[in-house]
Amino acid sequence: MELRRFKTELADVEITADLQVTVDSFLKFADFFFDGLFADWAVLDHINQAQSRVENTKDQIKRVLALLKKMREDVDVQIADEKEKQEQLAVETEL
């Protein structure tokens, strides 16, 4: 749920990210009803794949946060430049 909310917020700043973690319902079913070696092996494989997707998602989030930080710094610089221009215009207008 938090990943979906984060993804929605990123859309507001025009950054896209494919952030998702899923659990295959068939494997849950197979593990529950066919609690054997093959089901356990399939579940373990699925866990490893899910863990890999979680790590990839984590890396994506880190990259997006770094991009957002850079964008924020750029906007802060632009705001400071605009304030300086306004002050210069105010001083020139008073003269």
Side-chain angles (χ1 to χ4, degrees):
M1 210 158 52
E2 292 295 323
L3 287 175
R4 270 183 279 195
R5 186 176 300 138
F6 185 61
K7 190 174 181 178
T8 301
E9 292 296 325
L10 291 178
D12 291 342
V13 289
E14 297 180 2
I15 296 175
T16 58
D18 184 24
L19 306 172
Q20 56 181 304
V21 178
T22 59
V23 177
D24 189 357
S25 60
F26 175 75
L27 286 178
K28 285 185 199 177
F29 171 81
D31 189 41
F32 182 77
F33 285 104
F34 306 108
D35 194 22
L37 178 63
F38 293 110
D40 290 346
W41 184 41
V43 169
L44 180 61
D45 183 55
H46 190 69
I47 288 170
N48 289 333
Q49 290 174 7
Q51 186 176 16
S52 176
R53 286 192 303 267
V54 167
E55 289 299 320
N56 288 337
T57 299
K58 230 170 95 175
D59 291 342
Q60 278 187 335
I61 290 170
K62 286 179 183 179
R63 285 192 302 272
V64 167
L65 290 175
L67 178 60
L68 288 171
K69 182 179 178 183
K70 174 71 172 114
M71 290 171 69
R72 171 69 186 256
E73 290 169 356
D74 292 345
V75 168
D76 288 343
V77 167
Q78 288 176 350
I79 289 171
D81 289 346
E82 291 300 320
K83 284 183 180 180
E84 186 177 322
K85 287 178 185 177
Q86 283 179 342
E87 290 173 5
Q88 288 176 351
L89 283 173
V91 168
E92 289 174 5
T93 304
E94 290 177 2
L95 296 176

